[in-house]
Amino acid sequence: MEEKLIFTPQEKEMTMALYHSVYEEIGDSLTEDDVERLRNHLTENLEKHQLVRNVFGLNPIVLSFQTAQLVIEEIGLKRDAVIAVMLRPSVESGFLTTDDVQADYGESVARILRGLQRIQQLYKKNPVVESENFRNLLLSFAEDMRVILIMIADRVNLMRQIRDVPEDVNAHKMEVSQEAAYLYAPLAHKLGLYKLKSELEDLSLKYLEHDAYYHIKEKLSETKKSRDAYIERFIKPIEERLTEAGLKFHIKGRTKSIHSIWQKMKKQRCAFEGVYDLFAIRVIIEDRGDGSQEREARRREVMQCWQTFAIITSMYQPNPKRLRDWLSVPKSNGYESLHITVLGPEQKWVEVQIRTERMDAVAERGVAAHWRYKGVKGDANMDEWLTGIRTMLENSDGMEAMDQFKMDLYEDEVFVFTPKGDLYKFPKGATVLDFAYHIHSGIGSQCTGARINGKVMPLRQQLQSGDQVEILTSTNQKPKQDWLNIVKTSRAKSKIRLALKETQVKEGLFAKEMLERKFKNRKIDIDESVMQTLIRKLGFKEVSDFYRQVASGELDAGVVIEKYIELQQGDQPVTGNNMAESAANFVLDKSPLSALNSQMSEDVLVIDRNLKGVDYQLARCCQPIYGDKVFGFVTVSGGIKIHREDCPNAPELRKRFGYRIVKAKWSGKGSSQYAITLRIIGNDDIGIVNNLTSIISKDEKLVLRSINIDSHDGLFSGNLTIMIDDNTRLELLLKKLRTVKGVKQIERL
C-alpha cells in the first residue's frame, strides 16, 4: 500500500509562501469561484490521501506550486495554464476527471490537462526507448503550445529539485537528465526560451558528467576576478561614447553557460584555458517609446541599434565574418538582435550583442513573451512550425522522424526570395528541392532545378541567404528515392515519401496485373496460398516489395512462374518446421535475391518490441558477447549496432541520441563465437606469458586470435584478442587468468 502524503513543516511553510507568490502574480485573472474551488479541492484531496510522493520522494503539491510560479515568472502564462498545473497531480492520480475540470474551470483548462494526461500515459510506456511512443509524445506536444511550455517548465523545476536524491533512485535521475538534454533543451531553444534552455543544459551536464561540470565551475570561479576587471576595461569607453551620443542604455557582461564552454572544449579539443570567448557583452537600449505606432517604434529601435553598432565598431576592430544581423530579418521565434565580435584590449576577441529592452525580453522568453507583451495565445510562425512537426511525424517512420525532428530544432536559418520578392525561411543547408516542395508538392515532384540569381542550378544546390530562386520543372520528372538524401526539411521529406508510396502502389498494381496476365497465357490458375508461400520463400517480408521488384525487372516474371510451378508440384508445401530446410535448397538461377541464408540463421537477439530477424552488427567499441546486458542503437544508415550497457560510449549516445536507442536482449544461444580483447598487466617474469596462453589453449572452445605484449620498467602490459562463446565462459577464463602468479590486473576492453 502506498504511503499517504504528509507535509513536513518545511513543506508547509514553502507551500504557503508559493501560494501567496502565485496569487499575487495572477490573482487579478482568477475569479472568486476559482480561488474557492482550488482551495476546497486541495484540502479535500489531502484529507482523502489521494496524492503520493513521486519516485524521488518529492511532494506533488509543492512541485505543482513551484512549476506554476516558473510558468508565470519565466513564461508569462496566466489563469488557464496555472490552474491546469495546479490540478495536474489530482487528474493523474485519478481523483479528478477532465470532464469535472471542464465543468468547473472551462474548456481551455481541460484541453491543456488532456494534453498533459496523454503525455503522462505515454511516459508509462517508456517513450525514451520505443520510437512509436516517443513519436506520439511529440504529437501530443504539437497539439497545444501551452502543453509544451508547461512540460518545459515542469522539467526545469524537476531538474532543480533532484540534486540531492538518494542513491537508489540515481538511475531515474540519469534518465530524467538525459531526456532534458536531448528533448526539452532543444524544444526550449526552438521556442526562444534561452534562459530555461541554458539551465536545462547546465543541470543535465551537472548530473550526467559531474567531473566536467565542476572542473569548469571551479575554473570560472578562479578567473572571475580577472574576467570582471577585463569586462570593466572593455565597456568603460563604450559607455562614455554612447552617453555622448545621447542614447539611454545599460550594459551587462554575461559569462557563457558551463554547458556551452564544455561543448567548445570538446569541439576544439582544448583545455578550459583554450576557450577564448568565455563571455559576451550585451548592450540593451532603454527605448521607452514616445507613443508612436508600432511600425514607427520598431524603425526607431532598429536605427538606435545600428547607431550603437557603428559607435562600437569605430572603437574596436570588428570581425566581419562574425556579424549576425537578426534585425533586418528576425528568427522564426521572434529573436531580434545584432551580434558582432570585436578585438578588445590585450588582443582578445569579445562578442557584443546589441538590442532594445523589448528585444531582450523576447530573447529571454522567446515565443512565450507574446503572452506577456502582446496578450495573444499563439504566434503564426510557431503555429506553422508545430503544423510542420505534426505533418512530418504523421508521414515519417520511426527513427528517421526522430533524427529529422532533432535536426529541425537546432538548425540556423537562411532567407531566400521568389522572383516576386516573397520571403521564405529555411534551415541552413536546405536545397532547391526543399524550396520547390515548400511552394507546392506538385512543383516539387516535377522540379528539375532552379534559376538562382539568374544562373541555372541543379535541384541539389544549397540555398544561401539573399538568393532569388525561380523553380524549373518538367512534366517528365518524377520523385526518386535518392531525393530523400538531397532535401533538408521534414516537410519536403514527408512529401517525397508520400509521392514514392503512391508511385510504388501504382507500379505494384501494374506488376500484379502483368503477372496475372502471364499466368493466364500459360493457362495456370493462381493459388493465393502457394503465391504467398513463394513470396516468403523468396525472402520478401512485404508483398509490395515483391511486386515492386517484378515491376522494375529486378525479378524476372518468367522465373517467378517457373518457381511457382516447381513449388506447386512439390511433394508438400513449404511451411512450419521444414521451411528452413526447403529454402536452403531453393536457389534462383539468375535472381539477385539470394539473401535467404542470412534470414534462416538462428535468431540470437530480440530487438525492440519482440522483433526477430532484424539486421544488426556488434559494436567494435565494446565488443558485446552473448549474455552481456546490451541495447541497440539505430545508425544513420538505418542499421542497428548492438552495444554493451556499460560501453564507454553509452552515456554520450543516451544523452545526445536517446531517441535512437532501442531495447535488445539475448533470446537464445546460437553457435556464434565473439571476439573480445583482454588488457593484462603483470610482472615481467620469465614464463608468465606462456602460462597465460597455455590456459587459453587448453580450452577447446577458446581461440586465441592475437597477442600484443610490451615490456617496460619490470612490468609487462598486453592485449589478448580471444574468440569466446558467452560471458559465462569469459568469467571462468578471467578467474583462471587471475590465479597466474605475477598478474596484477586484467580487464575487458
Side-chain angles (χ1 to χ4, degrees):
M1 188 174 176
E2 291 179 317
E3 190 178 328
K4 65 184 181 180
L5 180 64
I6 299 173
F7 278 66
T8 65
Q10 186 182 6
E11 286 174 342
K12 284 182 181 177
E13 187 179 336
M14 194 185 305
T15 304
M16 288 308 297
L18 286 165
Y19 169 78
H20 289 301
S21 173
V22 169
Y23 185 76
E24 190 175 328
E25 289 284 347
I26 64 157
D28 57 347
S29 68
L30 297 174
T31 65
E32 287 184 16
D33 287 344
D34 287 338
V35 177
E36 188 66 26
R37 284 194 186 107
L38 276 171
R39 188 188 295 116
N40 292 340
H41 163 74
L42 290 172
T43 304
E44 185 182 359
N45 212 332
L46 290 170
E47 286 174 353
K48 293 188 177 181
H49 307 302
Q50 293 287 333
L51 302 178
V52 294
R53 294 179 183 274
N54 67 9
V55 69
F56 300 109
L58 299 172
N59 186 320
I61 298 292
V62 176
L63 279 175
S64 62
F65 268 110
Q66 289 167 333
T67 301
Q69 187 179 40
L70 211 157
V71 158
I72 295 166
E73 293 179 354
E74 297 296 340
I75 300 177
L77 298 182
K78 295 289 185 180
R79 181 217 181 236
D80 294 350
V82 172
I83 291 176
V85 169
M86 298 302 303
L87 296 178
R88 185 182 172 194
S90 303
V91 172
E92 288 179 356
S93 66
F95 180 69
L96 200 62
T97 68
T98 50
D99 289 339
D100 295 333
V101 173
Q102 184 166 335
D104 289 341
Y105 301 98
E107 165 61 25
S108 182
V109 178
R111 186 169 60 252
I112 296 170
L113 276 166
R114 287 188 190 103
L116 294 170
Q117 198 175 20
R118 274 196 304 274
I119 289 166
Q120 179 64 19
Q121 289 163 355
L122 287 165
Y123 268 120
K124 292 176 182 176
K125 297 177 182 177
N126 198 4
V128 178
V129 178
E130 295 179 24
S131 61
E132 189 60 34
N133 287 328
F134 187 82
R135 204 163 73 157
N136 290 336
L137 174 69
L138 297 178
L139 281 167
S140 295
F141 279 157
E143 288 287 350
D144 190 314
M145 176 74 76
R146 290 169 298 180
V147 174
I148 308 180
L149 296 168
I150 290 169
M151 288 302 296
I152 291 171
D154 182 68
R155 186 52 55 102
V156 171
N157 181 42
L158 184 60
M159 292 287 283
R160 288 175 180 177
Q161 310 308 324
I162 60 176
R163 185 184 65 184
D164 301 317
V165 296
E167 281 292 322
D168 60 343
V169 292
N170 206 47
H172 292 288
K173 182 177 178 179
M174 295 301 104
E175 191 175 312
V176 164
S177 302
Q178 285 161 359
E179 201 173 62
Y182 79 73
L183 174 60
Y184 289 100
L187 275 170
H189 175 91
K190 182 65 181 181
L191 297 175
L193 302 168
Y194 297 121
K195 187 177 176 184
L196 297 183
K197 170 233 179 190
S198 291
E199 187 172 356
L200 283 170
E201 288 178 336
D202 276 1
L203 289 172
S204 297
L205 182 67
K206 182 178 180 179
Y207 300 147
L208 295 171
E209 300 188 58
H210 178 276
D211 294 348
Y213 177 87
Y214 281 100
H215 168 73
I216 295 170
K217 189 176 182 183
E218 286 168 13
K219 288 286 186 181
L220 284 173
S221 298
E222 290 170 11
T223 58
K224 185 178 188 304
K225 193 173 181 180
S226 62
R227 200 167 59 248
D228 289 348
Y230 183 85
I231 290 172
E232 192 174 338
R233 286 201 305 277
F234 180 85
I235 66 176
K236 190 174 181 182
I238 294 176
E239 287 177 329
E240 291 172 358
R241 291 286 299 275
L242 293 180
T243 303
E244 287 172 11
L247 292 167
K248 292 183 179 180
F249 62 92
H250 60 274
I251 302 177
K252 53 187 178 184
R254 180 184 62 87
T255 303
K256 287 188 180 294
S257 70
I258 294 176
H259 177 271
S260 175
I261 295 170
W262 175 236
Q263 291 303 110
K264 279 186 175 290
M265 286 168 64
K266 289 199 294 184
K267 186 177 180 181
Q268 297 170 7
R269 296 183 179 179
C270 65
F272 174 86
E273 289 74 16
V275 180
Y276 68 85
D277 52 346
L278 288 172
F279 55 86
I281 304 297
R282 188 173 294 167
V283 180
I284 300 171
I285 298 164
E286 299 171 3
D287 185 7
R288 305 293 178 187
D290 55 5
S292 55
Q293 292 184 351
E294 187 175 336
R295 180 177 292 183
E296 178 59 28
R298 189 179 181 282
R299 189 192 66 79
R300 175 186 163 93
E301 284 183 328
V302 170
M303 182 185 71
Q304 289 180 331
C305 287
W306 281 111
Q307 184 184 0
T308 304
F309 168 85
I311 291 170
I312 293 172
T313 53
S314 69
M315 298 168 61
Y316 296 116
Q317 176 65 42
N319 182 344
K321 292 182 180 178
R322 298 292 299 272
L323 171 65
R324 300 290 181 268
D325 173 15
W326 287 299
L327 287 183
S328 304
V329 186
K331 287 187 177 183
S332 59
N333 57 25
Y335 183 87
E336 296 174 89
S337 189
L338 267 180
H339 291 198
I340 184 67
T341 301
V342 298
L343 199 59
E346 301 167 30
Q347 299 299 293
K348 291 182 180 178
W349 289 106
V350 180
E351 184 186 17
V352 181
Q353 301 170 358
I354 304 167
R355 60 181 69 147
T356 63
E357 285 184 324
R358 179 191 63 79
M359 294 174 188
D360 191 54
V362 174
E364 288 294 319
R365 296 188 174 87
V367 72
H370 292 286
W371 273 272
R372 184 180 290 269
Y373 294 97
K374 292 189 178 180
V376 296
K377 291 185 177 179
D379 176 81
N381 286 324
M382 297 317 301
D383 287 341
E384 184 182 342
W385 175 70
L386 288 172
T387 303
I389 291 299
R390 284 192 62 80
T391 304
M392 179 268 291
L393 291 167
E394 286 166 349
N395 293 325
S396 302
D397 296 319
M399 293 302 172
E400 285 183 354
M402 298 308 102
D403 271 337
Q404 191 62 40
F405 177 78
K406 179 77 178 221
M407 189 167 62
D408 278 0
L409 288 175
Y410 267 135
E411 283 304 327
D412 289 327
E413 294 166 324
V414 294
F415 305 91
V416 294
F417 299 88
T418 66
K420 293 181 179 179
D422 295 327
L423 178 69
Y424 290 105
K425 299 178 186 180
F426 291 94
K428 191 176 180 181
T431 63
V432 165
L433 201 52
D434 286 295
F435 187 98
Y437 272 107
H438 186 83
I439 295 171
H440 191 274
S441 55
I443 293 174
S445 294
Q446 294 184 352
C447 175
T448 57
R451 194 173 279 108
I452 300 179
N453 305 325
K455 293 181 180 178
V456 176
M457 294 291 182
L459 49 78
R460 61 176 65 244
Q461 176 67 34
Q462 289 193 0
L463 303 173
Q464 305 296 326
S465 281
D467 282 347
Q468 188 180 66
V469 184
E470 179 186 354
I471 298 298
L472 305 175
T473 61
S474 167
T475 53
N476 296 326
Q477 181 70 292
K478 289 182 181 178
K480 299 174 181 63
Q481 188 70 31
D482 71 329
W483 283 14
L484 291 170
N485 301 321
I486 294 173
V487 294
K488 181 86 170 176
T489 59
S490 54
R491 178 174 181 169
K493 280 184 186 289
S494 62
K495 287 185 175 182
I496 291 169
R497 285 195 186 96
L498 203 59
L500 288 172
K501 282 179 184 176
E502 289 173 358
T503 303
Q504 286 170 7
V505 168
K506 289 176 184 175
E507 288 178 349
L509 290 171
F510 167 77
K512 189 174 182 182
E513 288 174 7
M514 182 265 290
L515 205 55
E516 286 172 351
R517 194 162 56 249
K518 285 185 180 288
F519 268 86
K520 192 173 181 181
N521 290 341
R522 295 186 59 170
K523 296 183 169 51
I524 302 170
D525 292 328
I526 297 177
D527 185 322
E528 197 59 39
S529 63
V530 177
M531 180 59 79
Q532 290 297 324
T533 303
L534 175 64
I535 291 170
R536 282 201 310 274
K537 197 172 179 183
L538 290 172
F540 292 100
K541 291 179 181 177
E542 299 289 339
V543 175
S544 58
D545 291 338
F546 166 75
Y547 284 116
R548 183 171 54 79
Q549 292 210 7
V550 171
S552 66
E554 290 178 70
L555 190 55
D556 186 80
V559 173
V560 172
I561 294 172
E562 293 304 322
K563 296 307 174 185
Y564 177 90
I565 295 169
E566 191 178 312
L567 186 62
Q568 192 178 45
Q569 292 176 350
D571 293 333
Q572 57 181 356
V574 183
T575 57
N577 296 329
N578 68 340
M579 183 184 287
E581 185 181 345
S582 301
N585 299 319
F586 184 87
V587 181
L588 294 174
D589 298 334
K590 295 181 181 178
S591 171
L593 300 170
S594 57
L596 277 177
N597 292 334
S598 62
Q599 296 282 340
M600 295 303 166
S601 63
E602 181 183 3
D603 280 309
V604 179
L605 272 170
V606 175
I607 296 172
D608 203 11
R609 292 157 292 177
N610 297 324
L611 297 177
K612 293 189 176 185
V614 177
D615 288 336
Y616 63 85
Q617 290 181 315
L618 302 178
R620 291 182 180 179
C621 54
C622 57
Q623 295 179 305
I625 64 176
Y626 181 87
D628 288 336
K629 289 185 177 179
V630 292
F631 66 89
F633 179 75
V634 181
T635 63
V636 176
S637 62
I640 293 177
K641 285 279 180 74
I642 302 299
H643 294 260
R644 282 165 33 203
E645 284 197 351
D646 59 352
C647 171
N649 293 323
E652 188 72 6
L653 292 177
R654 291 185 183 280
K655 184 180 79 171
R656 293 182 60 202
F657 307 105
Y659 52 93
R660 285 160 65 179
I661 302 291
V662 293
K663 291 178 180 175
K665 64 181 179 181
W666 303 98
S667 63
K669 187 75 170 70
S671 56
S672 302
Q673 281 199 315
Y674 306 89
I676 60 141
T677 302
L678 299 178
R679 177 76 170 169
I680 302 181
I681 299 173
N683 295 326
D684 190 12
D685 296 334
I686 296 172
I688 189 170
V689 174
N690 187 51
N691 291 340
L692 291 169
T693 55
S694 66
I695 288 174
I696 297 168
S697 61
K698 283 177 184 176
D699 193 325
E700 293 178 1
K701 294 194 175 181
L702 294 178
V703 178
L704 180 61
R705 284 181 59 182
S706 67
I707 181 168
N708 181 19
I709 300 291
D710 287 325
S711 179
H712 49 85
D713 299 329
L715 287 177
F716 85 86
S717 60
N719 292 347
L720 278 69
T721 302
I722 299 165
M723 298 299 292
I724 199 163
D725 291 347
D726 54 48
N727 65 348
T728 305
R729 188 169 291 278
L730 174 61
E731 289 301 321
L732 290 172
L733 174 63
L734 290 173
K735 281 183 181 178
K736 288 179 183 177
L737 294 177
R738 286 182 180 124
T739 62
V740 174
K741 187 178 179 182
V743 170
K744 291 184 173 294
Q745 183 183 332
I746 300 181
E747 62 178 350
R748 177 183 172 190
L749 296 182

